[in-house]
Amino acid sequence: MPHDWTVCRDGVPVGRVYYSKQDAGVGSWFWEVWNSPGASGQAWTEEAAINAVKENVSRDEAEPA
């Protein structure tokens, strides 16, 4: 699907970023992280969605096991 990417870190899939038109002329970037616990959200730009995935993956790794 166009505008739909799997985000990898060190070759391991960690999340997804994709664009979805909700209404005519209006679109949004969505993101999701597949770690535990997972996270997801919406952003106005592709760059903001990618940064949200990075932030949430890093947050998970920073928490003690």
Side-chain angles (χ1 to χ4, degrees):
M1 175 184 312
H3 305 295
D4 189 342
W5 296 276
T6 297
V7 180
C8 295
R9 183 173 189 170
D10 297 326
V12 177
V14 294
R16 177 180 176 212
V17 170
Y18 61 98
Y19 182 81
S20 177
K21 274 193 166 183
Q22 295 178 334
D23 299 310
V26 177
S28 296
W29 287 94
F30 292 85
W31 61 271
E32 55 189 45
V33 173
W34 300 328
N35 58 3
S36 180
S40 63
Q42 187 174 350
W44 287 107
T45 66
E46 177 185 17
E47 182 178 2
I50 291 169
N51 286 334
V53 170
K54 289 179 182 179
E55 179 182 312
N56 281 278
V57 168
S58 295
R59 180 180 299 138
D60 181 60
E61 291 176 352
E63 293 177 5

